[in-house]
């Protein structure tokens, strides 16, 4: 079997609302490679938890490729990163191939699992041994390498439960963007974008922290910072009691030794602390239990009693054996991705046991407990018990004041006292540390007591009641997407909001270009949604982007579907108009407020039945008597339509004219009906977002579709009295609409200089030629992007269609180079005629055509386009 195509669909897509790996797998053997006898039995023996329906699918006459999807899904589950959607789809005309679609939790795991699945299926088919244990172990390692930390994951999941979008900014780091645009927040572990960097520096300097807390009236233990053992001994003697030694800027309990009484203990503790930092704190040891209080914003979110890693004897097993048993607890693991961390049997554990009179080989009596650390950090194997409800109000206030004093929005306050349920000062307890980026797994998953949703508390502190989303519009369809998107964005900017818009020409943020090229896919939309300077996003979403990467957004407020007509058929598995409509409907199905639909397009109208509950359909039509629109309005729905060149908004029983279409520059004096339709759709989207009629009218009236603001979209130029229209048109519907508009602009001749992309099917190219023959008086056929076809082949198919359209032989010319074709087309024109240059790639093609004879005109047009 061979992989013929592979795509990671990172957002909602044609197959599912969640990320999927889509691959086309084909049998490499000639003929139909079916599963050999006994294949299914051997496969189920190796993977006994495969779903039952796989047994039916993998009957003796099944193709081997049919096994890839269930095996891939099972491998992901075994790796601890399960997907939740799987499908195996047939491909038209390719009987030995299947489209395999598998949902995933971690895309790196899915990619590796695909390779392993193919190897496994081949091995089972040929009855070869396969080391499943090693393969799964490698997959688990990949899953762990890309796993989100427990604390970060708790916050991200809490955000997602509230509908706040979450985007992992790098593949490995726990750095996330929560929310979109100007409403986004950043998160790394439990450090947020609002966390003061100075405060983090203060918290990492334990002595400075103590000084500030003491100044604020917060109870802290006495002590000093030292850099030599002699100083440590001197401070210990001055304090006159048991002391604790720890590195000045340590974390996770590293280098901490508590309850040091003798000079020898102080010396060993100092040497241990120096391994983790040059400077060491020697402070009064506060007798009591170790507690962690989590402060988020201006409230206490949770509190835990942290117990050092310990084991309890049974009268038979040694301490070493008891630790090994405890470390087999599924909740324990390495690092921070598990609920608990494995207990280390190291030199510090040995020393801690020695203080209690034990060794690793000691057999504890039943019920007797031995500690293996002097501190209670979860990162060294400790456990936690929730005590949130026990905190007195005074202690809560002290903790909040401590966090505020340091300047942290999220803080872990470490307290030592005898009883957390009693006021802190009364029992001479104190705060020993304030931590930035506190771990929250102890609160989310306590060993005992009530779990606290610390992640949700952090999200609440970050967002309040906001869902982190900016207003959004997604625009899709076959033709008109860019113009419609720019119309919407222009109106929104005039209303005072900073817009981000993606188009076929590039990405624009608040009117300034940030990217060039076709930016209608996943990455471009992500760039807009990630930009903190964007208040309102308008996302042109093309067929290719949906099929190649899926949507960049989980949902949008308003979706616009302009039309569905023949284009790109035969590519990416989209064979028919029905297939194309299903691709466009992916956008409509993600809308949560409204979907704008073309009442004159049956495919668009049919999408109304697939909308989410409560989502409004708003129709638009150039025909005021369109029956779909009329029925919708009669039933109280909203719609935009054209009535005697007036743009009219119907809102229930009220019909209000917004403006005369001839006032819109894109309408070309009312001749460009396709752009009037785009303006109706834009007005409908703006209406759905609550913009006033005056704001909508101002936006439509103010947008100029010229070579500077909307290049290659009906840009008009005067070339010695000949009106030249430069347009991106490249399919039947676009050429027909363009010819109709151009015809309305002249009583003279209409000349078309036309081409089409070479990756279209033969029949489609012939249809384009026939359409152009019907629309233009003279045709000059050139070639642009042949995309795998030989020179002249695309033009020949367009010419065949033009001849089928009964265009006179003397009205049809082939000139393959675009600038020469334009020059020849102009030679056919008289002043007052109109020349349409379609399927161009850049304005430079027109400039190259006219520059030899008209250099001043070429310079003027170029200057206007800058």
């Amino acid at each position: 079997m061979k992989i013929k195509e592979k795509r990671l669909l990172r957002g909602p897509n044609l197959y599912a609302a969640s990320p999927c790996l889509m691959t086309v797998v084909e049998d490499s053997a000639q003929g139909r490679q079916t599963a050999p006898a006994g294949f299914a039995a051997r496969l189920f023996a190796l993977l006994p938890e495969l779903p039952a329906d796989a047994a039916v699918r993998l009957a003796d006459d099944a193709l081997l490729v049919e096994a890839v999807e269930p095996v891939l899904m099972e491998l992901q589950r075994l790796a601890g990163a399960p997907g939740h959607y799987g499908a195996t789809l047939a491909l038209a005309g390719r009987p030995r191939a299947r489209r395999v679609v598998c949902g995933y939790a971690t895309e790196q795991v899915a990619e590796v699992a695909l390779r392993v699945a193919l190897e496994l299926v081949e091995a089972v088919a040929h009855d070869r041994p396969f080391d499943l244990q090693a393969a799964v172990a490698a997959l688990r390692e990949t899953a762990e390498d890309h796993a989100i930390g427990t604390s970060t994951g708790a916050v991200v999941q809490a955000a997602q439960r509230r509908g706040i979008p979450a985007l992992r900014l790098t593949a490995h780091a726990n750095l996330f963007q929560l929310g979109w645009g100007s409403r986004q927040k950043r998160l790394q572990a439990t450090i947020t974008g609002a966390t003061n960097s100075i405060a983090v520096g203060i918290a990492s300097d334990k002595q400075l922290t103590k000084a500030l807390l003491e100044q604020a009236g917060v109870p802290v233990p006495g002590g000093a910072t030292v850099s030599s053992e002699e100083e440590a001994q001197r401070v210990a003697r001055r304090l006159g009691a048991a002391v604790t030694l720890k590195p000045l800027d340590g974390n996770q309990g590293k280098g901490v030794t508590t309850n040091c009484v003798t000079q020898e203990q102080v010396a060993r503790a100092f040497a241990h602390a120096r391994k983790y930092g040059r400077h060491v704190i020697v402070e009064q040891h506060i007798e009591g239990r170790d507690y962690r209080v989590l402060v988020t914003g201006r409230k206490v979110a949770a509190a835990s009693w942290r117990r050092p890693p310990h084991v309890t004897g049974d009268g038979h097993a040694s301490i070493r054996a008891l630790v090994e048993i405890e470390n087999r607890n599924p909740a324990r693991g390495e690092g921070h991705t598990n609920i608990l961390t494995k207990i280390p049997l190291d030199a510090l554990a040995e020393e801690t046991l020695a203080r209690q009179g034990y060794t690793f080989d000691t057999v504890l009596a039943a019920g007797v407990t031995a500690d293996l650390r002097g501190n209670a950090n979860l990162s060294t194997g400790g456990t936690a018990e929730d005590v949130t409800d026990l905190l007195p109000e005074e202690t809560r206030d002290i903790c909040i004041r401590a966090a505020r004093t340091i300047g942290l929005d999220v803080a872990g306050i470490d307290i030592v006292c005898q009883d957390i349920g009693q006021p802190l000062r009364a029992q001479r307890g104190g705060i020993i540390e304030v931590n930035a980026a506190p771990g929250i797994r102890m609160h989310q998953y306590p060993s005992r007591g009530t779990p606290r949703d610390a992640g949700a508390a952090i999200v609440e502190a970050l967002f309040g009641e906001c869902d982190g989303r900016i207003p959004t519009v997604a625009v899709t369809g076959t033709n008109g997407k860019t113009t419609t998107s720019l119309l919407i964005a222009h109106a929104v900017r005039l209303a005072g909001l900073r817009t981000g818009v993606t188009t076929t020409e590039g990405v624009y943020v608040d009117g300034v270009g940030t990217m060039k090229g076709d930016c209608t896919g996943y990455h471009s939309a992500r760039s807009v949604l990630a930009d903190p300077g964007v208040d309102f996003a308008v996302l042109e979403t093309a067929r290719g982007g949906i099929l190649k990467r899926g949507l960049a957004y989980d949902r949008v407020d308003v979706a616009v579907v302009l039309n569905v007509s023949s284009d790109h058929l035969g590519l990416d598995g989209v064979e028919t108009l029905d297939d194309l409509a299903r691709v466009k409907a992916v956008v409509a199905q993600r809308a949560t407020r409204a979907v704008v639909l073309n009442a004159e397009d049956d495919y668009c109208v049919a999408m109304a039945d697939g909308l989410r509950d409560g989502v409004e359909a708003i129709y638009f039509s150039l025909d005021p008597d369109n029956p779909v629109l009329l029925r919708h309005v009669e039933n109280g729905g909203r719609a935009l339509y054209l009535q005697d060149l007036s743009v009219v908004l119907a809102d229930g029983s009220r019909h209000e004219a917004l403006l005369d279409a001839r006032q819109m520059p894109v309408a070309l004096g009312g001749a460009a009906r396709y752009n009037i339709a785009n303006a109706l759709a834009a007005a409908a989207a703006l209406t759905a977002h609550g913009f006033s009629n005056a704001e909508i009218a101002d936006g439509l009236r103010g947008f100029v579709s010229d070579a500077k603001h909307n290049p290659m979209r009906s840009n008009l130029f005067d070339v010695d009295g000949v009106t030249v229209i430069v347009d991106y048109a490249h399919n039947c519907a676009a050429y027909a609409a363009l010819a109709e508009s151009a015809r309305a602009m002249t009583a003279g001749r209409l000349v078309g200089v036309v081409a089409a992309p070479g990756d279209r099917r033969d029949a489609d190219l012939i249809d384009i030629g026939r359409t152009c023959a019907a629309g233009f008086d003279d045709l000059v056929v050139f070639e642009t992007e042949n995309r795998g076809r030989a020179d002249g082949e695309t033009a020949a198919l367009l010419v065949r269609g033009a001849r089928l359209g009964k265009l006179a032989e003397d009205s049809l010319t082939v000139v393959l180079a675009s600038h020469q074709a334009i020059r020849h087309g102009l030679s056919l024109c008289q002043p007052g005629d109109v020349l349409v240059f379609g399927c161009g790639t850049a304005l430079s093609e027109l400039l190259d055509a006219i520059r030899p004879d008209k250099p001043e005109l070429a310079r003027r047009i170029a200057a206007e386009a800058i």
Side-chain angles (χ1 to χ4, degrees):
M1 292 179 291
K2 288 187 177 179
I3 296 172
K4 310 299 288 186
E5 182 182 342
K6 184 177 73 172
R7 291 177 179 175
L8 286 162
L9 306 174
R10 290 176 171 143
N13 53 75
L14 186 59
Y15 312 101
S18 54
C20 294
L21 170 65
M22 188 286 294
T23 183
V24 174
V25 182
E26 189 170 52
D27 285 334
S28 56
Q30 293 299 316
R32 193 171 186 273
Q33 187 179 359
T34 57
F39 170 78
R42 292 194 298 273
L43 186 63
F44 273 82
L46 189 63
L47 297 169
E49 295 190 54
L50 281 173
D53 70 309
V56 177
R57 291 165 51 188
L58 300 177
D60 288 343
D61 62 344
L63 288 174
L64 279 184
V65 292
E66 296 280 354
V68 174
E69 171 248 315
V71 169
L72 198 160
M73 296 297 288
E74 176 63 4
L75 288 172
Q76 290 186 91
R77 188 191 69 79
L78 292 171
H84 299 290
Y85 172 83
T88 302
L89 308 171
L91 280 82
R94 299 172 68 179
R96 293 188 295 113
R98 292 292 184 270
R99 190 180 303 278
V100 176
V101 183
C102 292
Y104 63 78
T106 305
E107 66 179 43
Q108 294 85 354
V109 174
E111 288 192 284
V112 177
L114 172 63
R115 174 181 55 78
V116 174
L118 294 177
E119 294 172 356
L120 187 153
V121 171
E122 293 278 9
V124 173
H126 294 91
D127 202 10
R128 296 195 301 261
F130 184 85
D131 192 342
L132 179 64
Q133 185 175 358
V136 170
L139 284 169
R140 284 178 179 158
E141 185 174 344
T142 301
E144 290 170 1
D145 287 345
H146 294 88
I148 302 170
T150 306
S151 294
T152 309
V155 182
V156 170
Q157 290 163 18
Q160 292 173 328
R161 286 195 300 271
R162 281 187 43 176
I164 298 170
L167 169 63
R168 193 173 191 176
L169 296 179
T170 67
H172 294 277
N174 283 330
L175 179 61
F176 278 81
Q177 174 187 315
L178 303 180
W180 286 339
S182 58
R183 295 179 182 173
Q184 69 177 271
K185 308 291 183 182
R186 292 282 176 85
L187 176 80
Q188 187 166 36
T190 55
I191 290 279
T192 77
T195 302
N196 189 311
S197 62
I198 294 177
V200 174
I202 293 171
S204 66
D205 185 329
K206 294 178 172 53
Q207 190 59 37
L208 178 57
T209 296
K210 285 175 59 179
L212 292 177
L213 293 181
E214 188 173 20
Q215 178 179 296
V218 173
V220 294
T225 302
V226 302
S227 55
S228 68
E229 182 187 333
E230 291 75 14
E231 290 179 282
Q233 296 288 3
R234 186 162 55 249
V235 171
R237 287 193 298 271
R238 176 170 59 80
L239 292 173
V243 293
T244 293
L245 284 83
K246 56 189 175 184
L248 177 66
D249 54 358
N251 57 55
Q252 298 179 357
K254 295 175 182 175
V256 177
T257 308
T258 63
N259 200 21
C260 298
V261 177
T262 68
Q263 288 187 357
E264 292 77 11
Q265 289 173 338
V266 170
R268 283 197 301 270
F270 177 82
H272 180 59
R274 278 295 295 268
K275 295 176 184 177
Y276 299 93
R278 293 179 57 195
H279 301 288
V280 175
I281 291 178
V282 182
E283 66 183 16
Q284 175 189 1
H285 173 70
I286 301 177
E287 196 65 44
R289 293 175 173 177
D290 187 340
Y291 297 95
R292 164 64 63 83
V293 178
L294 177 68
V295 175
T296 58
R298 294 299 181 93
K299 62 184 280 188
V300 168
S304 295
W305 170 28
R306 301 190 300 175
R307 299 191 63 185
H310 61 276
V311 291
T312 301
D314 60 4
H316 302 287
S318 68
I319 290 176
R320 186 191 307 276
L322 291 171
V323 170
E324 290 172 354
I325 292 170
E326 176 58 27
N327 281 343
R328 289 199 290 270
N329 180 347
R332 291 192 182 272
E334 303 292 345
H336 301 278
T337 57
N338 290 72
I339 296 171
L340 296 173
T341 302
K342 288 186 176 181
I343 301 171
L345 286 172
D346 55 11
L348 187 54
E350 187 175 22
E351 183 178 337
T352 304
L353 287 172
R355 291 185 188 178
Q356 302 164 76
Y358 305 137
T359 69
F360 290 144
D361 296 321
T362 299
V363 176
L364 297 172
V368 174
T369 297
D371 292 338
L372 288 107
R373 274 292 190 278
N375 64 73
N377 292 70
L378 265 67
S379 58
T380 55
T383 58
E385 178 179 332
D386 179 72
V387 294
T388 307
D389 294 335
L390 301 179
L391 259 65
E393 198 61 37
E394 177 192 289
T395 303
R396 291 174 182 267
D397 291 342
I398 288 173
C399 291
I400 294 169
R401 190 182 324 127
R404 190 167 64 245
T405 298
I406 303 306
L408 293 171
D409 61 323
V410 178
I413 313 296
D414 288 347
I415 295 175
V416 175
C417 64
Q418 294 292 341
D419 183 357
I420 197 66
Q422 300 301 315
L424 199 57
R425 287 190 177 90
Q427 57 183 313
R428 296 187 178 180
I431 291 178
I432 59 170
E433 284 186 22
V434 176
N435 299 275
I440 60 174
R441 56 179 173 159
M442 71 182 75
H443 308 300
Q444 297 280 148
Y445 312 104
S447 302
R448 293 180 60 188
T450 304
R452 305 290 173 171
D453 197 343
I458 293 173
V459 171
E460 182 183 353
L462 282 172
F463 288 96
E465 297 301 316
C466 177
D467 66 0
R469 293 175 184 267
I470 58 174
T472 49
V473 177
V475 180
T476 194
T478 303
N479 296 313
K481 299 185 293 297
T482 294
T483 299
T484 303
S485 297
L486 292 174
L487 275 164
I488 295 168
H490 180 75
V492 173
R493 281 191 72 211
L494 285 184
L497 296 174
R498 298 170 298 177
T499 61
V501 57
T502 64
T503 72
T504 308
E505 295 300 319
V507 174
Y508 304 88
V509 174
D510 206 21
V512 177
T514 60
M515 295 184 188
K516 284 191 174 182
D518 187 348
C519 296
T520 57
Y522 179 92
H523 295 291
S524 304
R526 281 292 192 193
S527 76
V528 165
L529 295 173
D531 194 311
V534 173
D535 301 321
F536 192 113
V538 184
L539 307 172
E540 180 181 342
T541 305
R543 168 209 65 91
I546 299 170
L547 292 172
K548 288 180 173 64
R549 281 288 179 264
L551 300 180
Y553 40 85
D554 58 339
R555 64 180 194 248
V556 291
D557 297 314
V558 177
V560 178
V561 187
L562 296 168
N563 41 61
V564 180
S565 60
S566 180
D567 199 7
H568 298 282
L569 299 183
L571 301 174
D572 301 309
V574 178
E575 304 294 332
T576 66
L577 279 174
D578 287 338
D579 293 339
L580 185 58
R582 281 192 289 273
V583 176
K584 305 294 184 183
V586 171
V587 177
Q589 290 159 3
R590 306 322 299 168
T592 59
R593 180 180 296 180
V595 176
V596 176
L597 297 169
N598 186 346
E600 299 178 40
D601 188 305
D602 291 342
Y603 288 104
C604 290
V605 173
M607 291 181 195
D609 293 333
L611 305 184
R612 296 183 178 194
D613 291 343
V615 173
E616 177 188 13
I618 303 177
Y619 286 103
F620 70 93
S621 174
L622 292 170
D623 177 10
D625 297 320
N626 177 274
V628 173
L629 183 140
L630 289 177
R631 280 195 305 271
H632 184 67
V633 172
E634 287 171 3
N635 291 327
R638 293 193 287 181
L640 274 294
Y641 61 89
L642 187 68
Q643 179 79 57
D644 299 327
L645 285 177
S646 288
V647 173
V648 180
L649 167 63
D651 189 353
S653 60
R654 184 178 180 182
H655 295 243
E656 183 173 352
L658 299 181
L659 77 165
D660 189 309
R662 289 167 293 191
Q663 296 176 329
M664 301 186 300
V666 296
L668 304 182
R673 288 176 62 82
Y674 55 91
N675 268 347
I676 297 175
N678 293 335
L680 292 172
L686 293 163
T687 296
H689 264 293
F691 288 90
S692 70
N693 290 356
E695 289 173 324
I696 295 170
D698 287 345
L700 299 182
R701 201 181 282 119
F703 179 72
V704 178
S705 182
D706 57 15
K708 179 178 181 180
H709 300 94
N710 193 16
M712 307 304 292
R713 268 81 182 172
S714 299
N715 303 152
L716 265 62
F717 304 96
D718 186 311
V719 180
D720 291 343
V722 176
T723 298
V724 175
I725 304 175
V726 177
D727 198 275
Y728 183 64
H730 57 274
N731 55 50
C732 288
Y735 274 124
L738 198 56
E740 179 189 11
S741 297
R743 182 71 68 188
M745 298 169 64
T746 181
R749 294 187 67 76
L750 184 57
V751 176
V753 180
V754 301
D759 60 356
R760 301 321 193 248
R761 300 175 303 184
D762 289 3
D764 297 328
L765 293 170
I766 292 169
D767 282 344
I768 291 171
R770 185 188 288 112
T771 298
C772 291
F776 297 96
D777 299 317
D778 292 280
L779 275 186
V780 182
V781 176
F782 71 100
E783 285 191 340
T784 175
E785 300 175 353
N786 284 334
R787 300 180 183 179
R789 291 185 185 268
D791 289 348
E793 184 181 352
T794 302
L797 291 165
L798 292 170
V799 167
R800 187 192 306 177
R803 287 173 176 158
L804 290 173
K806 308 300 183 185
L807 191 70
E809 193 70 31
D810 59 354
S811 296
L812 178 61
T813 310
V814 176
V815 182
L816 294 184
S818 61
H819 62 284
Q820 293 176 359
I822 294 170
R823 193 175 296 128
H824 181 72
L826 286 169
S827 74
L828 303 176
C829 295
Q830 300 293 324
D833 291 346
V834 174
L835 181 146
V836 171
F837 172 49
C839 201
T841 58
L843 182 61
S844 60
E845 293 171 299
L846 174 62
L847 300 179
D848 290 343
I850 64 177
R851 186 177 289 112
D853 299 326
K854 303 174 177 62
E856 277 302 317
L857 178 59
R859 276 195 291 271
R860 178 172 59 79
I861 291 174
E864 291 173 356
I866 297 175

